[in-house]
Amino acid sequence: TITITPVVHCEPCGGQGAKKGAKKGAKRKTCRTCRGTGQAMFKMGGFHVQQPCPECSGEGSSISSKDKCSACQGRGRVRERKTVPIDIPAGCDSGMRVKISDMGDVPADGHGPAGDLYVKVRVLPSKTFRRKGSDIYYDLQVPLTTAILGGTLRVPTVDGDVEVNIKPGVQPGDELRLRTKGVRKVNSTGRGDQYLNLNVKLPTELTSKQRELVEQLDAELTGKPRSDPAKESTESTESTDGSEQGTKEKDGFFSRIKKDFENFKKHDDK
């Protein structure tokens, strides 16, 4: 609802401007000073200045002071405070106008119907979503383990939370689309889409166990031997005989890494 103060007909005088009990036939007459224009010309220092007529207050007509309605001062019009309900259509965006019939001002003269009221809409920005037309956008934080192994994440929409499947190996900046999860289109049954911008969330601190798992994964993916402090110490003591220790890949190494990451993910979800 909104509160407005439109110009309406004065109820005590019925819009005539004459008070109750005034002599029969009392009515507004064309102002003799401005001849109905509502403007009077004055001469000031050699210049002609146009101002509202002081006799009729710029209205172009007047009624005798003894017959004036005290509620409207003889104007026949007053401003009235009203509370008006507004039906905002689904999908309405900033800059759109909503029309409310017969809630505008009444004519300055005569007894014609009131005009229409137009309400300009300004939509407050959301703290959760970004909107472009009928589509909305949401930044989804994806845990590192979910980005690697895949999984499901709960995502807010305008209709409530939904479960979204994340495929293994998603990259930062990837985009997912949820069809018909956007804003309803005005005067239509169609809806826009919701787009998810994936941001992979990297841990800022790692335990020694977590760091070991990441190093094992790095060694597996890049093919480089994983650094082992104990091994490096042994190699330094045996460097005199020129022998070098190499690293050997174990059977099922990647399967063990994946299993460790799944356990780490379960612990992270808890």
Side-chain angles (χ1 to χ4, degrees):
T1 60
I2 62 172
T3 301
I4 59 175
T5 54
V7 175
V8 299
H9 292 112
C10 176
E11 288 188 8
C13 66
Q16 296 295 331
K19 66 182 179 180
K20 286 185 178 181
K23 64 180 181 179
K24 191 175 181 179
K27 59 180 181 179
R28 301 184 68 86
K29 297 180 180 179
T30 301
C31 178
R32 291 177 298 178
T33 302
C34 65
R35 299 180 181 181
T37 63
Q39 300 292 321
M41 195 73 70
F42 297 91
K43 187 174 182 180
M44 296 179 62
F47 295 93
H48 288 82
V49 180
Q50 187 174 343
Q51 293 180 343
C53 176
E55 183 68 24
C56 63
S57 300
E59 295 182 12
S61 61
S62 62
I63 195 169
S64 63
S65 58
K66 64 179 182 178
D67 293 331
K68 282 184 179 180
C69 171
S70 60
C72 63
Q73 300 301 314
R75 296 184 180 90
R77 307 290 187 272
V78 293
R79 287 196 175 274
E80 184 177 70
R81 189 179 182 86
K82 294 182 179 181
T83 300
V84 181
I86 302 178
D87 184 16
I88 302 296
C92 193
D93 204 355
S94 293
M96 293 184 176
R97 298 194 306 171
V98 178
K99 176 184 175 181
I100 306 176
S101 300
D102 303 326
M103 282 296 173
D105 294 342
V106 298
D109 297 313
H111 291 273
D116 299 328
L117 172 65
Y118 289 88
V119 180
K120 189 174 182 180
V121 178
R122 181 172 67 90
V123 180
L124 296 177
S126 170
K127 296 181 180 179
T128 304
F129 306 106
R130 298 187 308 277
R131 179 178 177 180
K132 292 182 180 178
S134 59
D135 296 328
I136 60 176
Y137 294 78
Y138 176 74
D139 293 328
L140 180 60
Q141 303 296 326
V142 182
L144 175 62
T145 50
T146 304
I148 296 175
L149 304 174
T152 59
L153 293 176
R154 200 163 185 82
V155 176
T157 71
V158 293
D159 299 319
D161 293 352
V162 296
E163 295 286 342
V164 176
N165 291 323
I166 305 297
K167 294 182 179 180
V170 296
Q171 301 297 314
D174 284 356
E175 193 173 70
L176 300 180
R177 181 170 68 171
L178 305 181
R179 295 183 181 274
T180 68
K181 289 297 182 181
V183 179
R184 187 179 299 277
K185 299 178 181 179
V186 179
N187 299 326
S188 172
T189 57
R191 295 186 60 168
D193 301 325
Q194 178 171 338
Y195 292 88
L196 305 178
N197 182 35
L198 305 186
N199 295 325
V200 178
K201 185 178 180 181
L202 301 177
T204 56
E205 296 181 359
L206 296 175
T207 64
S208 57
K209 177 64 175 178
Q210 293 167 349
R211 183 178 182 84
E212 181 181 357
L213 292 173
V214 174
E215 289 177 347
Q216 291 178 21
L217 177 62
D218 178 63
E220 176 68 17
L221 295 176
T222 62
K224 297 179 182 179
R226 186 171 65 91
S227 61
D228 189 335
K231 236 178 223 187
E232 290 177 357
S233 177
T234 303
E235 289 177 357
S236 63
T237 56
E238 297 177 356
S239 59
T240 52
D241 57 8
S243 61
E244 296 181 352
Q245 295 290 337
T247 58
K248 297 181 179 180
E249 295 183 353
K250 297 180 181 180
D251 295 337
F253 176 76
F254 188 75
S255 298
R256 183 166 61 86
I257 289 293
K258 183 176 181 180
K259 183 177 180 181
D260 288 340
F261 260 93
E262 289 175 345
N263 292 334
F264 171 58
K265 178 184 176 184
K266 290 179 180 178
H267 180 270
D268 184 53
D269 292 339
K270 291 180 181 179

